[in-house]
Amino acid sequence: AYVRLKVMLGIRQAQMLAIRLADWDGERLKVAATKGGKDAYYQGEGLAEAIDACKAVRERAPVRGMYLFCTRRGGKYTSDG
């Protein structure tokens, strides 16, 4: 699910790991800028299905966090994690 979404968006790893559930409004996804840029908004065919697939993986986790990809403790993954 992570790889599918990453390929669709073409964004950096740090941006992927920083996506919060609140960044998805059902139609478009807000991705926080890195390296001094502006926040970007993504929408399009297949994006909702890709986000739903990522959420389905989360549902199997015992702990819930605010990030789309969160650790077992609910925190944000790091690039080393």
Side-chain angles (χ1 to χ4, degrees):
Y2 174 91
V3 172
R4 178 180 174 197
L5 185 61
K6 181 143 174 51
V7 168
M8 288 181 78
L9 301 177
I11 59 177
R12 294 181 176 95
Q13 178 187 27
Q15 290 172 297
M16 282 290 291
L17 298 178
I19 295 174
R20 296 173 296 153
L21 293 172
D23 292 336
W24 172 246
D25 68 5
E27 291 184 20
R28 62 186 195 158
L29 176 68
K30 175 185 167 190
V31 176
T34 59
K35 299 192 177 193
K38 293 183 178 180
D39 291 347
Y41 292 88
Y42 294 87
Q43 60 187 32
E45 188 176 328
L47 185 57
E49 291 81 13
I51 300 247
D52 287 342
C54 293
K55 286 182 178 180
V57 172
R58 288 178 41 102
E59 295 302 318
R60 291 184 253 154
V63 176
R64 308 256 192 288
M66 63 187 253
Y67 295 98
L68 184 59
F69 307 102
C70 63
T71 66
R72 291 181 186 166
R73 294 184 178 168
K76 181 175 122 177
Y77 275 106
T78 63
S79 60
D80 295 335

